[in-house]
Amino acid sequence: KPCPLCDEAKEVLEPYKRRFILQEVDITLPENSAWYDKYKYDIPVFYLNGKFLMKHQVDIQKFEDHLVKLELQND
């Protein structure tokens, strides 16, 4: 469904798209009901490398800091 908050978040993350893989989850689908129950009032929600990072909007500094840490671990 249309999600302006999600669209805005994707725009903010656009410059970083070569550094991570974005996996979108539609929480309105029946198979994602656990995510819906947990986050229905908190979209968008961001996980990085399987760990909760932030919700509602992108904190670009927090995102960059965690992304750099992951990149350094993988080098």
Side-chain angles (χ1 to χ4, degrees):
K1 297 180 179 183
C3 178
L5 297 172
C6 300
D7 294 340
E8 180 181 322
K10 287 189 281 187
E11 282 183 36
V12 172
L13 294 173
E14 179 70 21
Y16 297 89
K17 70 180 182 179
R18 290 184 181 89
R19 295 172 60 193
F20 73 102
I21 297 169
L22 178 65
Q23 179 184 356
E24 295 181 58
V25 176
D26 183 346
I27 65 171
T28 64
L29 297 176
E31 63 266 25
N32 296 325
S33 63
W35 289 110
Y36 180 82
D37 293 342
K38 189 170 185 173
Y39 292 121
K40 61 186 163 199
Y41 302 118
D42 291 314
I43 60 169
V45 175
F46 306 90
Y47 278 69
L48 186 61
N49 207 31
K51 296 179 183 174
F52 174 81
L53 185 60
M54 58 194 153
K55 61 185 176 182
H56 300 153
Q57 64 185 27
V58 176
D59 177 336
I60 205 65
Q61 190 60 58
K62 184 175 190 174
F63 175 74
E64 174 71 24
D65 291 347
H66 281 78
L67 189 58
V68 167
K69 283 180 190 176
L70 282 174
E71 290 169 338
L72 291 173
Q73 288 174 1
N74 292 330
D75 284 345

